[in-house]
Amino acid sequence: MNTNFMKLRDIMRTQNVTYYLVPSEDPHQSEYVDDHFKCRQYISGFTGSAGTFLAGSNEGWLWTDGRYFTQAEQQISSDITLMKQGVYGVPTTLQFLEQNLHPNDVLGTSGLMISASYGKKIAKLSKKCGFDFRFDLHFVEHLWAEDNRPAMTKTVVYRHDIKYSGEHTDSKLERVRKKISAAGADAFFLSSLPDIAWLFNLRGDDIACTPLFYSYAWITMDKCFLFLRKDCISAAAFNRFKEHGILVRDYSEIDSFLKDQHTNVLLDPDLTNYFHYNLLFKCKIIEDKNPTELMKAVKNETQMEHLKECHINDGVAMTKFMYWLKKNVGKIPMTERSISDHLEAERKKQPDYVGLSFETICAYKDHAAMMHYQSTEESDIAVTAEGMLLIDSGGQYYGGTTDVTRTFILGPISDEERKYFTLVLKSMLTLADAKFLSGCRGSNLDILAREPLWKEGVDYRCGTGHGVGYFLGVHEGPNAFRWRSNPENLDAVLQPGMVITDEPGVYVPGKYGIRTENMLLCRKWQQNEYGAFLHFEPLTLVPIDLDGVDLSLFNDKENQLLRDYQQLVYDNLAPHLEEDEVSWLKTLLL
Amino acid sequence: MNTNFMKLRDIMRTQNVTYYLVPSEDPHQSEYVDDHFKCRQYISGFTGSAGTFLAGSNEGWLWTDGRYFTQAEQQISSDITLMKQGVYGVPTTLQFLEQNLHPNDVLGTSGLMISASYGKKIAKLSKKCGFDFRFDLHFVEHLWAEDNRPAMTKTVVYRHDIKYSGEHTDSKLERVRKKISAAGADAFFLSSLPDIAWLFNLRGDDIACTPLFYSYAWITMDKCFLFLRKDCISAAAFNRFKEHGILVRDYSEIDSFLKDQHTNVLLDPDLTNYFHYNLLFKCKIIEDKNPTELMKAVKNETQMEHLKECHINDGVAMTKFMYWLKKNVGKIPMTERSISDHLEAERKKQPDYVGLSFETICAYKDHAAMMHYQSTEESDIAVTAEGMLLIDSGGQYYGGTTDVTRTFILGPISDEERKYFTLVLKSMLTLADAKFLSGCRGSNLDILAREPLWKEGVDYRCGTGHGVGYFLGVHEGPNAFRWRSNPENLDAVLQPGMVITDEPGVYVPGKYGIRTENMLLCRKWQQNEYGAFLHFEPLTLVPIDLDGVDLSLFNDKENQLLRDYQQLVYDNLAPHLEEDEVSWLKTLLL
C-alpha cells in the first residue's frame, strides 16, 4: 500500500472531495520539473516524466504513455490501476471523468498545475455531467509540506552570450511585438520557461539537465516585465535590464499583477496554467501558440555554426567512450551505472560543456525494451561481453543541446537481433536522406523511417523524433516526426534551421531493445520551378557499431548511405582523437 | 474580347454592382455539373472543370489549379487575368477580395452556386472590409437565358440493384439516423448528389459520365423526404418508395420546404449551398461532414467482389486496346481522337458497362504535359511511331467505376523520358506496396510515391491520388493521397474497403507528360501486438509498357514488385483474351 496516497484519501474524505487530479506539470507546464513540483510522483510512486494521477475514494488511476508502461507497472501499488495511453479501448483521463463522475461528485485539483486548455475542458465536462469542479485545492502540497517537501530550487540567472545566441533580445522583442500586433493583441503573457530563456538570452539551473529558471514575462508594445526571483540576478544584470527597458518584478508578484490587467492579451492556453488564466478575467484573451515557440525552433546562422562544433565535441566524447567500451567489455568489471559515469566523465572533458541534457539511459539486454529505462541501485546489472547495450544520452553545451542513441554489440547476438538492428539503421538512414518540398510536416515524412519495420509487422510505439532546443530543453516543439495526426495536434511545417531527432527502434519486452538516434538539421537543398526543396544534414557524429549490421539486408543505396555516414564521422572526428582511437575508427569505414 | 463577359459588365453597371463572382459549381456543389450550370464557362470561356471567375468593372480574374494553367491561358481573353492557385504569392479569391474591395464596392453572386462555408467567409469579409455582399443576383443566368442556355438535363431515375450495392436503403437509413442522433440533431439535410444516389440505391444520367440525378434529401428520425423531378420516376418506383416510408416531393419544392423547417438540423456547410443555408433561419444548424460520405467511401464485401470483376472487364478492354495500339501505330492512321474512340469501343463490349467515367484524356507527346488535356477538333494530332502517348480513362459499370492511366511508348524516346517513365513507375509501385498501421491517413503515405521524384528535384503539382466512387463519381472523398495538410483539410484515416488511385507523374511543358495510375483497394493485412496493419490490393489490371522501363534504375525489391504486378495482370486477363493477345501479353512478363 502507498501511504501518501492513503493520506490524500483521508484529506479528500474530510473535505468531501470524491476525485482529486494530480498532474505531472509545474505552473509553467514544463515537461521536466523541479523536484519541488513532483506531486504526482510523491503521491503515486511512479517516477516517469509523463503521467496523470487521479485519486478516487478507494482507488487510483495512473495514465502514462508507451515509454513507461513497464516501469509504471513495477512502481505503482495494487490500489492504483495503470491506464495505458494510446492503447485501444483505454479511455483518456477526460473520457474517464465523463464516464465515471456524477452530479454528487466533487473533482478537485490545483489549477496552477493544469493548463488553461485542460482546465476549460474539465469545466465543460463538469457542466455536462453535473459534477462540481474545484481548482483551488492544494491537497498534495499541504500533505507534502509536512513531509520534507524540497524547497524550489533557486540558482543564479546568467547571460547566454550573444556569441552563442546570435540575436539580441531587442531584436527578438521586436519580432515578438510584430506577432502581438498581428494577433490583434496589445500584450503577450508568456509562462513557458524555455521561451523566456530564449527571448531574454538568459539561462539558469532550476531544473535538472535543463538550463532554465522559474519566471514569467508580460510584454506590451512599449513595456516588458520579467518576473523572476529577484535575488537570482546580480545588481549589474538588474541595471542592464533597466537600460533595455526590461522591468524586473519578483516571481511572487505575478498573481496580483495579472489580476490588475485589463487589455487584449495573447497567450498560449496549452502553456498557461488554468489558475492564471482565470486571474485574467478583466482581459480579452486571444488564444494562440506562443509566437516565441516557432522563432526559438528555427536556429540562426550563428547557432547552426555552434551546433556543428558542439556535435563534434559531443561526438569525440561518445566515440572515445565507445572505443573504451568495445575494448574493455568482458575484461574489466562494468555495470550500467558505472558505464553511464564513464560516459559522463568523457563529456565533462569537452569544451563548453555544462552538464547532461537528460539522465543517461544505459540499458543492458532486456532493460532496453523499456524505452526510458533508468538504471537504479536496485536494477543496475553487470555488463559483459554478450548481447546489446543501448545508451541514449546527451549534453548541454553553451553552443547547443545534444541527444544521441547508439546500441552497442558487446558479444554474440541472435539472428533476430541482428536483423532488427539492421532494419532500425535502415529506418534511421532512410529518413535522414529525405528530400522534400517546403511545406512538408514531420507527419508527411515519418513513414520513411517506419516503413522498413512496418513491412515486417513491427512498430515502435512512440514518435520517430522530436525537436531539440539550443542549450535549452532536449524536447522542443513545434516540429516533430510522428504519424498520428488530427486537426488539433498537427506538427509544424519543417523549416530550414529546425533541429530534429531521428530515432526509430525495436523493443521486445523481456528480450532486447534497439534504438539508433541521430540529430538532424533541416536545410535548403535546391530551389527550382517546382518550389523550394529541403533536406537534412546530420548533426550527430558518432559511428554506427557495424558488429550489428547485416549488410545483405541493405540495397546499394542504403549501403552508400551507411558508407557516407561512417566516412563523415571519421573525417570530422579523427583530428581530435588519439592514434589508437583513429586506427580503430578506421576499421568502422565501409 | 469576350462578348459574354462584356454583357455581364453592362448588367453590373446598370445594377451598381462593382464585382460579380461566378463559381463553377451547381446548387449541389458538384465537381462535374450539367451543361445547364456551366455559368463560369459561359462567361469566362475557360472549359476546365475547376475554377472561379471574378468580374470587375473593367477586367476579370480567373482562379484555377495547376492541372489547368496551360489550358486556361489559351482559353481566356486578354481582359482576364489568370490567377494560378497554389503558386507562391498568388492570393486566393478571398484574399483578393480582402485586398481589393472597399466600402463603396458591391459584390454580387448567386448564393445557390456557392457553398455555405464560402458564403459565410465572404459575409465575414464584407463586414470586415465594409463592402456590400448580395447573394441573390442571378446575372449570368438572366444573360444566358436569352442566349440558348441548355435546359437542365432530365433523365430517368432507376434502381441500382441490391446485387451490386450490397446494402438496402433501410439499413443505410438506420446507420444515418444513428449519426444524426450522435450529432445531437433531429434532422439531416443532404444536398450532395452522389450521397443521395448511394443512400437510396438509385442512379440517373443527369450529369455526363456520372450516374447522378438532381435531388435533395431531408431525413428525420421517423421520416424521409426525397426531392426529385417527379416525372423522372415510374409509378412503380413511387409506390415502392411509399412502402419504405420515403416521401417523394418535387425538386422545385425544396425552397419552400426548407423555409418552413424549425428543428436541429445536421448539414455539411461545404456541400450545402449558401442560399439554402440562409433559408434554414428558423433551425439550429449543426455543421459537420455528411455522415454518408464516409459510409459511401467504405465499400462492403459485395461491392468489393464486383469491383474485382469490373476491373477484370476494364482490364480486358484496356489490354486489347493496348495490343491494337502497339501493333498498329505507324502502320495505320490514328489521331488522339480516333484512338479515344477505339478505346471506348473496346469498353462498350464489356459486360455491365454503362459509359465513360470521365472524358478520355488521350494526349500525345507535349500535349500530355497538360494533366487534364482534352483533345478537341482543333488540337487533335496524328499519332505516329515515336514518343509517348498518355491515356487516362475509365468506365462506369454497374459493379464499379474505373480510372486508369497508362503511358505508352510508341517509338524512340529520349534517355530523360525513359528515366522519368521508370521513376514514375517506381513511385506508383512503392506506394501500392505500403504496409501501414490502422490510423494512417493518405497524407502519411503520400511521400512513398513522391520521394523517388523529389530525390531528383522533380514534383507533380497535384495529389498522388483520390478516392473513387462505386458506379458514382470518379473523384470521391474523404480519403486521398496528398501531402499538403492543415487543420482545416486533413484527409480521412484510411480504412479497409476504401478505394483510392495511385497516380504519380512527371509533366514537362512543351516536351512530354508521363503518368501511371492504378486503383487500389485498402484491406486488412495483419493484426498483432502492435495493432492492425493495413495494405493495398491492386484493382487495376492493365500491363505496364516495358518499352519505357530502364530496369537498371530499380533495386531488387522494385524489380520484384514489377514482376509480380505483370504476372497478376497476366493471370487474371489471359483467360479472357484471344490467342495472339495472350502471346503478346506473355512477352510483358519479367
Side-chain angles (χ1 to χ4, degrees), chain B residues 348-560:
Chain B
K348 275 188 183 155
K349 294 177 197 162
Q350 296 304 318
D352 281 353
Y353 177 77
V354 179
L356 295 179
S357 59
F358 56 99
E359 258 197 84
T360 299
I361 297 171
C362 181
Y364 190 41
K365 293 186 174 172
D366 62 312
H367 284 172
M370 293 175 259
M371 286 183 207
H372 281 213
Y373 169 76
Q374 289 295 343
S375 188
T376 61
E377 267 181 55
E378 297 76 44
S379 71
D380 194 20
I381 46 167
V383 173
T384 61
E386 56 177 55
M388 298 187 290
L389 177 71
L390 183 157
I391 301 185
D392 187 350
S393 68
Q396 293 286 6
Y397 298 81
Y398 292 119
T401 301
T402 68
D403 182 3
V404 50
T405 310
R406 288 293 180 268
T407 304
F408 301 106
I409 315 301
L410 303 185
I413 56 172
S414 69
D415 289 348
E416 182 186 306
E417 288 170 320
R418 187 175 310 280
K419 172 181 161 186
Y420 285 117
F421 184 97
T422 308
L423 290 183
V424 166
L425 179 58
K426 179 183 197 151
S427 291
M428 193 279 278
L429 292 170
T430 303
L431 175 56
D433 186 49
K435 309 285 181 285
F436 52 101
L437 270 176
S438 172
C440 274
R441 298 168 191 274
S443 47
N444 294 124
L445 273 62
D446 182 88
I447 199 167
L448 295 176
R450 237 171 263 268
E451 192 65 2
L453 296 167
W454 279 1
K455 281 235 158 64
E456 302 287 321
V458 169
D459 184 46
Y460 41 97
R461 296 188 183 87
C462 58
T464 300
H466 53 82
V468 182
Y470 179 88
F471 188 35
L472 278 176
V474 73
H475 295 157
E476 175 181 286
N479 51 307
F481 287 130
R482 52 182 160 70
W483 64 272
R484 283 182 203 274
S485 48
N486 60 56
E488 286 81 47
N489 77 344
L490 263 191
D491 52 307
V493 166
L494 293 166
Q495 293 185 31
M498 282 181 168
V499 171
I500 192 162
T501 67
D502 170 10
E503 46 179 317
V506 168
Y507 307 92
V508 183
K511 291 175 80 181
Y512 59 87
I514 300 162
R515 177 161 70 249
T516 299
E517 174 187 23
N518 272 5
M519 276 173 62
L520 308 175
L521 174 63
C522 183
R523 302 298 303 251
K524 281 186 191 163
W525 181 48
Q526 58 165 288
Q527 172 99 35
N528 61 26
E529 69 266 39
Y530 297 105
F533 284 90
L534 309 179
H535 73 144
F536 299 113
E537 283 176 15
L539 285 172
T540 302
L541 294 165
V542 179
I544 300 295
D545 188 346
L546 297 182
D547 291 340
V549 184
D550 176 358
L551 282 176
S552 75
L553 298 178
F554 275 9
N555 63 34
D556 292 349
K557 171 76 186 173
E558 290 148 3
N559 225 300
Q560 187 62 45

Side-chain angles (χ1 to χ4, degrees), chain A residues 143-440:
Chain A
L143 198 61
W144 201 3
E146 293 162 17
D147 187 22
N148 297 315
R149 179 183 190 184
M152 259 178 92
T153 303
K154 192 190 281 184
T155 60
V156 173
V157 175
Y158 58 96
R159 269 171 102 170
H160 189 218
D161 202 283
I162 185 73
K163 93 171 178 191
Y164 296 110
S165 68
E167 184 179 8
H168 285 289
T169 294
D170 292 348
S171 158
K172 293 180 180 180
L173 277 172
E174 196 183 318
R175 291 204 281 150
V176 167
R177 286 184 168 126
K178 276 189 192 146
K179 293 288 179 187
I180 298 175
S181 187
D186 301 309
F188 168 43
F189 178 43
L190 183 56
S191 300
S192 166
L193 302 183
D195 291 50
I196 296 173
W198 171 83
L199 179 58
F200 294 99
N201 289 333
L202 295 174
R203 297 293 187 271
D205 193 19
D206 293 351
I207 296 180
C209 300
T210 318
L212 302 173
F213 54 97
Y214 279 102
S215 52
Y216 295 96
W218 181 278
I219 297 145
T220 68
M221 300 317 276
D222 59 355
K223 284 205 180 68
C224 175
F225 297 90
L226 178 59
F227 295 80
L228 38 72
R229 271 89 54 92
K230 271 187 182 166
D231 47 353
C232 293
I233 56 165
S234 64
F238 192 87
N239 287 330
R240 208 172 50 243
F241 284 141
K242 225 170 168 178
E243 279 165 32
H244 288 270
I246 297 165
L247 305 161
V248 176
R249 296 282 182 275
D250 196 74
Y251 185 75
S252 63
E253 293 172 40
I254 188 68
D255 293 3
S256 56
F257 180 89
L258 293 177
K259 256 189 290 194
D260 289 344
Q261 299 310 310
H262 187 111
T263 185
N264 297 326
V265 62
L266 171 68
L267 59 78
D268 185 334
D270 292 329
L271 292 170
T272 305
N273 71 59
Y274 189 53
F275 181 74
H276 284 164
Y277 184 88
N278 279 283
L279 288 182
L280 291 164
F281 61 94
K282 285 187 228 155
C283 290
K284 184 188 160 199
I285 294 178
I286 296 159
E287 301 188 9
D288 207 343
K289 292 262 170 214
N290 283 325
T292 43
E293 188 187 28
L294 185 59
M295 292 177 192
K296 173 168 65 73
V298 176
K299 276 68 175 175
N300 61 37
E301 289 297 328
T302 305
Q303 291 175 306
M304 290 193 250
E305 279 309 305
H306 280 287
L307 275 172
K308 291 194 175 181
E309 201 183 307
C310 139
H311 278 276
I312 290 175
N313 296 334
D314 202 63
V316 166
M318 276 290 292
T319 303
K320 281 173 173 283
F321 159 78
M322 178 177 174
Y323 174 62
W324 169 85
L325 174 71
K326 299 277 291 185
K327 200 174 71 179
N328 292 300
V329 70
K331 292 176 191 150
I332 59 173
M334 44 179 90
T335 71
E336 290 172 336
R337 283 156 73 91
S338 77
I339 287 170
S340 298
D341 291 344
H342 188 93
L343 173 55
E344 186 172 358
E346 286 295 349
R347 279 210 168 88
K348 275 189 181 153
K349 294 177 196 161
Q350 296 304 317
D352 281 353
Y353 177 77
V354 179
L356 294 178
S357 59
F358 56 99
E359 259 196 85
T360 300
I361 297 169
C362 180
Y364 189 40
K365 293 186 174 170
D366 62 312
H367 284 171
M370 295 175 257
M371 284 183 207
H372 281 212
Y373 169 76
Q374 289 296 341
S375 188
T376 61
E377 268 180 54
E378 297 76 46
S379 70
D380 195 18
I381 47 167
V383 173
T384 60
E386 54 177 57
M388 297 188 291
L389 177 71
L390 184 156
I391 301 185
D392 187 349
S393 67
Q396 293 286 5
Y397 299 80
Y398 292 119
T401 300
T402 68
D403 182 2
V404 52
T405 309
R406 287 293 179 270
T407 304
F408 300 106
I409 315 302
L410 303 184
I413 56 171
S414 69
D415 288 350
E416 182 186 306
E417 288 170 319
R418 189 176 309 281
K419 173 182 163 186
Y420 286 117
F421 184 97
T422 308
L423 290 182
V424 166
L425 180 59
K426 182 182 195 153
S427 292
M428 192 279 280
L429 292 170
T430 303
L431 175 55
D433 186 49
K435 309 284 182 284
F436 52 99
L437 269 176
S438 173
C440 274

Side-chain angles (χ1 to χ4, degrees), chain A residues 514-538:
Chain A
I514 300 161
R515 176 160 71 249
T516 299
E517 174 187 23
N518 272 4
M519 278 174 61
L520 308 175
L521 173 63
C522 183
R523 303 296 303 253
K524 282 186 188 161
W525 180 46
Q526 60 166 286
Q527 172 99 36
N528 62 28
E529 68 267 39
Y530 297 105
F533 284 90
L534 309 180
H535 73 144
F536 298 114
E537 283 176 15

Side-chain angles (χ1 to χ4, degrees), chain B residues 60-116:
Chain B
W61 299 268
L62 176 78
W63 280 262
T64 191
D65 62 65
R67 299 173 300 177
Y68 290 118
F69 291 166
T70 315
Q71 179 183 333
E73 262 161 3
Q74 291 169 359
Q75 294 181 326
I76 57 179
S77 58
S78 62
D79 49 356
I80 299 175
T81 305
L82 176 62
M83 306 295 277
K84 295 181 176 182
Q85 280 172 17
V87 169
Y88 184 80
V90 176
T92 64
T93 312
L94 289 175
Q95 286 165 343
F96 183 90
L97 294 176
E98 180 165 6
Q99 288 159 14
N100 291 280
L101 270 63
H102 302 291
N104 288 335
D105 283 316
V106 179
L107 172 68
T109 196
S110 166
L112 273 170
M113 310 305 170
I114 59 172
S115 72

